[in-house]
Amino acid sequence: MYNDRSARRPARGTVTRAATAAALASALALGAVHTATAAAPSAAKTPTGASDGGWHQDGLTLNAADNRTVDAYVARARRAERSISPQIRAAALLSHAELIGFDHRLKSPDSLKRKVATRMQEKPGRTVGESLAQINDAVRFTLQWPVGRYSRGVTAAAGMLSAWGNDSTRWSNTWHRAAGYKAINSAWRTPRSHQLFEVQFHTPRSKAAQLETHKLYEEQRLPGTSPQRVRELQEQQDAIFAAVPVPPGADRLTAPVRHHPVPATWAPALMP
C-alpha cells in the first residue's frame, strides 16, 4: 500500500478497528441493506429471453444451457451482495468515504449476458464458465474521497476489505498514466461464496471525468467504429482526464496481499 508515513499511521489506526467495523457490518446486514437490495432498479430488470430457452440481443446469443448458467450466476451474485454491501458501507464509514451510486450496485442480467456472449464470440471455444470467471463487476461499488484524503482513504478501505478475508484479485492503478482514465479499479473475491465484486476508488473530479467520457468510451468499443473515429474519441477522453488532479501518493498505492489462489473458472457447484 501507500508508503508515505503520514498516510500510513492513520490507515493502521483505522484498520485496527476491524472488529468494530465487522459488528457494524452485521448490524447493517440485518437492516436497511436487505430492503435496499430488493428495491434496487438494476436488480429488478427482467432479462431478455427466447422461446428456445436461450438469449438473443443485438446480434449476440447464448444457447439455453449457457443462458441457464448465467441466470444461476446472477442469482448467486444477488445473494452474495447481501453480505458484501454491509462491508462496503462499513469501510466507507470508517475511511470517511462517500459511497457513490449504491442503487446501481447490481449489474443487470441483460448486461451480464451481453458481456459473456461478447467474450465467447471474440474467442471461439471459450466456455461460459471461463467467461463468467473474468467478470468482476456483477456486484460493484464506488468509494470517493477529496484529493487531500484520497490516498489515506484508499489504504484504509482496502486494508479493511482484506482484513475481513476478501482477496484482492485485480488492482488497476492508472493514476500514473500520462493520458487516459485515472482512478483505481479493484476486484475482490469473497472468502465463502467466492463471488467477485468490483470497487472503484475515485476523487470527485475523476468520477466526473468517468461519467463525462462514458458515451465516448462506449462508442469507441463498437465494432463498426472506424480507426480514425477511435483515435478521435481517445483524444477527447485523454483531454478530459488530463484535467483531473492526481492525489498525493495515489500513483504508489498498491493492493493488499492476496490470501488464496484464484479459481480458473466459475462453476455452479461453488454456489452456497
Side-chain angles (χ1 to χ4, degrees):
M1 301 303 294
Y2 182 38
N3 291 324
D4 181 77
R5 289 187 178 181
S6 63
R8 193 167 63 238
R9 283 196 297 270
R12 276 205 306 264
T14 303
V15 174
T16 57
R17 290 181 288 177
T20 302
L24 175 60
S26 297
L28 287 170
L30 296 173
V33 170
H34 286 283
T35 302
T37 300
S42 58
K45 185 176 179 181
T46 302
T48 301
S51 58
D52 62 358
W55 176 90
H56 310 274
Q57 191 178 89
D58 300 329
L60 298 168
T61 65
L62 293 173
N63 64 35
D66 289 345
N67 191 40
R68 287 194 299 271
T69 299
V70 179
D71 283 337
Y73 182 90
V74 170
R76 174 197 171 200
R78 289 179 178 177
R79 290 196 299 272
E81 177 271 329
R82 296 171 186 167
S83 62
I84 299 168
S85 285
Q87 295 185 42
I88 296 295
R89 283 185 152 183
L93 179 64
L94 293 176
S95 66
H96 308 289
E98 184 177 0
L99 182 53
I100 305 295
F102 187 67
D103 286 346
H104 303 286
R105 61 196 176 276
L106 289 170
K107 202 175 188 71
S108 74
D110 274 340
S111 182
L112 276 169
K113 290 177 183 183
R114 280 196 300 272
K115 204 165 189 176
V116 169
T118 297
R119 291 185 174 184
M120 294 175 71
Q121 185 182 79
E122 289 173 347
K123 188 175 180 180
R126 177 180 285 166
T127 68
V128 66
E130 290 169 342
S131 300
L132 286 169
Q134 297 174 353
I135 293 178
N136 300 321
D137 61 349
V139 184
R140 68 273 180 97
F141 307 91
T142 298
L143 298 182
Q144 175 179 289
W145 296 266
V147 170
R149 296 205 304 266
Y150 180 84
S151 292
R152 294 181 182 183
V154 171
T155 300
M160 281 183 273
L161 291 175
S162 178
W164 292 328
N166 300 292
D167 269 328
S168 173
T169 63
R170 178 174 179 263
W171 187 271
S172 177
N173 184 342
T174 57
W175 284 110
H176 64 281
R177 288 184 181 174
Y181 179 81
K182 288 184 172 64
I184 294 175
N185 286 8
S186 65
W188 304 78
R189 190 182 300 276
T190 62
R192 289 188 178 182
S193 67
H194 306 290
Q195 175 66 45
L196 286 172
F197 63 97
E198 179 185 78
V199 184
Q200 295 185 7
F201 300 118
H202 276 282
T203 67
R205 291 283 296 275
S206 69
K207 184 61 180 177
Q210 181 192 44
L211 295 174
E212 187 178 354
T213 58
H214 180 70
K215 289 185 178 180
L216 302 176
Y217 175 71
E218 290 297 318
E219 182 183 349
Q220 187 181 33
R221 296 180 62 195
L222 292 174
T225 305
S226 68
Q228 180 180 351
R229 181 58 179 162
V230 167
R231 288 192 296 271
E232 292 173 354
L233 291 167
Q234 188 59 57
E235 288 172 359
Q236 293 176 43
Q237 293 174 71
D238 290 347
I240 293 168
F241 280 111
V244 175
V246 178
D251 59 333
R252 301 193 300 276
L253 293 170
T254 57
V257 176
R258 182 178 295 169
H259 300 290
H260 305 102
V262 179
T265 60
W266 179 84
L270 292 175
M271 293 173 61

